């Protein structure tokens, strides 16, 4: 048993999630692979989106994997940092825009 | 500016120490076994088409990733006598291309003499240029000279921004490189219809593999043109070799084992066919012969068939020789493959 909930050694074992559900794993793998193929967006752009989302969902495995992937696809740290700021702005904005709900309820309850 | 391994008396300056590190492990199989498993062994050379001449290890720069361990403190340079022996090879056989490398090849005092002699023999000439050398006072008129003698330029520029480039090649190098590229453009290099070819070389700024050459070339072209008005013909992506100063970086940063595993995991059998060692002869500054520039830096000489020194070189005998390999060869077969002309698949 790991001392922490997150163990870096788990990342290369990701495929074990298919051990008891091979068909679902296969479908997931096929979909995942297709998503990251270059299409209307380049592989490099998709990796930057994945990196930003990894920060938004705060997945340490994804941050590790997509930091490497972004570098290998020709992005530099400046571009990767801007991508993380995009995630941060959306997360921050999402919190802030919910403030309108607070204000609407408060208005209704207040004189 | 950092200094060469040699001038720092770093243990890695001794080739045997590097070879001791570059030994197979449980996770990094011998390169020949990898070929054998796929029916590709032994690796054999074809007819030599390219003569790659290392004019010396002196350089005005000391880049962190340099597989030559070149620098201003290195004094090894090729003599005119050895150059003349290289020219005799051209007179004896059908070598189509002469690829001049270093260090900074232009720093050899006989560089211009050699270029004129090769041009007289009507061969394609490539100069592997670090760009900043073109701005040094001692090289005045070099840009125009290269254009006049129709020398193709293959220039190092690891990224289209200053921060990445300067971290790898030294403070202020990006700005100087852009100035040198503008001068090359001004004499027609990189412009359609001039016949003056200018290629740039990207290499990763760390322990990872290069991206798709085609995709990165598009980005390089648009960024360099939009931001700096600089044009070029092609981008070559080259994988960093675990030799000399890049090996030092890998070890010091704790990335060596993982990088080697990454190269092995990315082994691409399709990249074996286009390996540059198959059609290239590499000549050291002292005239000794190697299968490639990387073997030269590890002092892995050719098998004794067709000569071991350029003055003994027999081109017919040289074709079909068995190429000397090592773990570093994984860098040329990883992913899309890597050569002095970029990706090979």
């Amino acid at each position: 048993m790991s001392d922490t909930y997150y163990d870096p050694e788990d990342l290369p074992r990701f495929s074990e999630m298919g051990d008891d559900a091979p068909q679902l794993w296969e479908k997931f793998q096929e979909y995942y692979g297709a998503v990251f193929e270059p299409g209307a967006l380049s592989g490099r752009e998709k990796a930057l989106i994945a990196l930003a989302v990894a920060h938004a969902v705060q997945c340490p495995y994804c941050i590790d994997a997509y930091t490497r992937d972004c570098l290998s696809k020709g992005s530099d740290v400046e571009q990767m940092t801007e991508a993380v700021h995009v995630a941060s702005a959306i997360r921050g904005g999402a919190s802030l825009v919910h403030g309108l709900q607070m204000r609407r309820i408060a208005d209704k309850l207040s004189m | 500016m950092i200094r060469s391994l040699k001038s720092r008396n770093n243990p890695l300056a001794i080739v045997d120490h590097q070879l001791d590190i570059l030994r197979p492990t449980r996770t990094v199989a011998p390169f020949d076994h990898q070929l054998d498993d796929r029916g590709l062994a032994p690796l054999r050379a074809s007819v030599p088409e390219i003569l790659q001449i290392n004019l010396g290890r002196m350089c005005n720069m000391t880049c962190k990733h340099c597989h030559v361990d070149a620098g201003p403190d290195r004094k090894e340079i090729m003599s005119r006598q050895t150059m003349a022996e290289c020219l005799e090879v051209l007179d004896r056989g059908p070598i189509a291309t002469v690829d001049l490398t270093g260090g900074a090849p232009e720093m050899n005092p006989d560089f211009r003499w050699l270029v004129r002699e090769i041009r007289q023999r009507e061969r394609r000439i490539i100069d592997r240029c670090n760009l900043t050398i073109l701005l040094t006072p001692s090289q005045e008129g070099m840009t125009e000279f290269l254009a006049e003698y129709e020398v193709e330029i293959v220039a190092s520029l690891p990224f289209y921004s200053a921060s990445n480039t300067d971290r790898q090649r030294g403070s202020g190098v990006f700005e100087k490189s852009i100035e040198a590229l503008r001068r090359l453009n001004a004499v027609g290099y990189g412009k359609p219809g001039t016949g003056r070819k200018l290629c740039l070389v990207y290499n990763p700024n760390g322990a990872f593999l290069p991206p798709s050459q085609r995709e990165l070339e598009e980005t390089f072209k648009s960024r360099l043109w939009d931001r700096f008005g600089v044009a070029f013909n092609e981008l070559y992506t080259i994988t960093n070799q675990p030799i000399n100063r890049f090996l030092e970086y890998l070890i010091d940063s704790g990335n060596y084992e993982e990088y080697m595993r990454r190269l092995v995991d990315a082994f691409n059998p399709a990249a074996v066919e286009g390996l540059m060692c198959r059609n290239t002869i590499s000549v050291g500054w002292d005239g000794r012969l190697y299968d490639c520039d990387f073997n030269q830096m590890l002092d892995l000489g050719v098998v004794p068939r067709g000569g071991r020194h350029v003055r003994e070189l027999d081109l017919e005998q040289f074709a079909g020789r068995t190429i000397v390999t090592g773990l570093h060869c994984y860098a040329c077969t990883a992913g899309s493959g890597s050569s002095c002309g970029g990706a090979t698949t």
Side-chain angles (χ1 to χ4, degrees):
Chain A
M1 184 66 187
S2 167
D3 290 337
T4 59
Y5 283 109
Y6 289 120
D7 183 346
E9 295 302 317
D10 282 348
L11 183 55
R13 295 174 53 225
F14 188 22
S15 62
E16 289 176 27
M17 285 307 295
D19 285 356
D20 294 301
Q23 287 175 331
L24 291 176
W25 175 256
E26 205 173 297
K27 286 178 192 293
F28 174 76
Q29 279 288 84
E30 195 183 342
Y31 173 72
Y32 197 100
V35 163
F36 282 95
E37 283 293 317
L41 294 173
S42 68
R44 190 179 78 87
E45 290 165 333
K46 288 184 178 184
L48 282 169
I49 294 169
L51 181 72
V53 174
H55 282 78
V57 299
Q58 294 181 310
C59 169
Y61 303 112
C62 309
I63 291 171
D64 184 348
Y66 283 97
T67 297
R68 294 165 193 274
D69 199 42
C70 282
L71 288 170
S72 294
K73 287 196 162 67
S75 293
D76 69 354
V77 175
E78 192 182 338
Q79 294 161 347
M80 290 155 66
T81 305
E82 283 189 15
V84 173
H85 275 287
V86 171
S88 175
I90 295 298
R91 278 184 69 110
S95 294
L96 211 53
V97 77
H98 281 78
L100 295 173
Q101 187 181 359
M102 172 274 287
R103 292 175 67 84
R104 185 159 34 82
I105 295 167
D107 278 350
K108 190 179 178 187
L109 296 175
S110 304
M111 290 199 329
Chain B
M1 188 186 279
I2 61 167
R3 293 188 298 146
S4 69
L5 295 170
K6 191 176 181 187
S7 73
R8 283 183 273 140
N9 293 318
N10 188 300
L12 287 173
I14 297 163
V15 164
D16 283 348
H17 187 62
Q18 294 194 46
L19 292 172
D20 206 36
I21 293 164
L22 289 164
R23 279 198 302 195
T25 62
R26 191 173 52 79
T27 51
V28 182
F31 185 74
D32 282 345
H33 290 194
Q34 194 79 250
L35 296 180
D36 211 18
D37 289 348
R38 290 163 171 82
L40 299 168
L43 187 61
R44 289 199 189 280
S46 56
V47 178
E49 296 166 14
I50 302 167
L51 191 68
Q52 187 174 61
I53 308 175
N54 193 305
L55 294 183
R57 303 202 177 172
M58 69 286 152
C59 190
N60 58 320
M61 297 167 66
T62 41
C63 303
K64 279 185 191 167
H65 70 295
C66 183
H67 74 275
V68 179
D69 192 31
D73 51 70
R74 299 299 298 264
K75 305 298 176 203
E76 304 93 325
I77 59 163
M78 183 175 278
S79 66
R80 191 179 279 209
Q81 170 63 32
T82 306
M83 289 180 184
E85 289 164 351
C86 292
L87 293 168
E88 284 167 20
V89 173
L90 301 185
D91 295 336
R92 289 202 296 271
I95 294 282
T97 301
V98 182
D99 185 340
L100 304 175
T101 187
E106 304 88 349
M107 287 176 78
N108 187 307
D110 290 317
F111 175 82
R112 295 188 197 211
W113 175 82
L114 179 62
V115 167
R116 287 190 187 100
E117 291 290 324
I118 302 167
R119 174 55 57 226
Q120 271 187 14
R121 289 163 175 80
E122 298 180 343
R123 308 302 164 93
R124 175 183 172 219
I125 311 171
I126 296 171
D127 175 33
R128 293 194 180 269
C129 178
N130 70 21
L131 293 175
T132 64
I133 191 69
L134 300 177
L135 306 187
T136 57
S138 63
Q139 300 294 330
E140 200 179 335
M142 180 59 79
T143 307
E144 293 74 16
F145 172 82
L146 293 168
E148 183 186 347
Y149 285 87
E150 298 170 17
V151 178
E152 286 183 29
I153 307 285
V154 177
S156 311
L157 191 73
F159 214 66
Y160 46 78
S161 69
S163 57
N164 254 12
T165 303
D166 288 2
R167 274 216 299 272
Q168 186 179 121
R169 300 175 70 77
S171 179
V173 166
F174 182 76
E175 198 180 328
K176 288 181 186 170
S177 300
I178 293 296
E179 171 58 22
L181 287 168
R182 284 181 174 139
R183 289 191 192 183
L184 288 165
N185 281 171
V187 295
Y189 275 107
K191 300 282 179 68
T194 63
R196 288 175 180 160
K197 195 171 177 184
L198 170 61
C199 299
L200 298 184
V201 173
Y202 160 93
N203 65 285
N205 194 29
F208 50 93
L209 299 183
S212 149
Q213 183 168 281
R214 186 191 51 76
E215 205 176 289
L216 192 64
E217 181 181 284
E218 283 176 23
T219 311
F220 257 70
K221 282 190 169 171
S222 63
R223 297 292 173 103
L224 288 178
W225 180 254
D226 294 346
R227 293 184 187 178
F228 308 104
V230 162
F232 67 97
N233 298 104
E234 290 174 30
L235 181 77
Y236 298 155
T237 55
I238 295 186
T239 304
N240 286 320
Q241 277 280 350
I243 299 173
N244 277 319
R245 291 208 290 271
F246 190 67
L247 180 60
E248 180 193 33
Y249 155 76
L250 288 175
I251 293 167
D252 288 356
S253 61
N255 279 307
Y256 173 73
E257 280 87 6
E258 190 185 331
Y259 186 70
M260 294 307 292
R261 272 202 304 275
R262 196 162 285 259
L263 293 181
V264 174
D265 290 347
F267 176 77
N268 178 4
V272 174
E273 176 69 29
L275 282 172
M276 63 179 177
C277 51
R278 306 190 80 162
N279 68 348
T280 301
I281 303 170
S282 165
V283 188
W285 65 273
D286 54 1
R288 285 196 288 164
L289 300 177
Y290 303 86
D291 294 307
C292 70
D293 202 51
F294 306 123
N295 279 7
Q296 185 182 138
M297 298 315 145
L298 291 173
D299 206 17
L300 300 171
V302 288
V303 291
R305 171 176 166 171
R308 278 187 154 168
H309 191 279
V310 68
R311 79 174 77 89
E312 305 158 354
L313 178 57
D314 180 332
L315 289 172
E316 278 183 29
Q317 281 280 312
F318 225 62
R321 74 190 185 281
T322 301
I323 291 165
V324 178
T325 61
L327 289 194
H328 61 292
C329 300
Y330 280 113
C332 290
T333 53
S336 302
S338 179
S339 73
C340 288
T344 55
T345 61

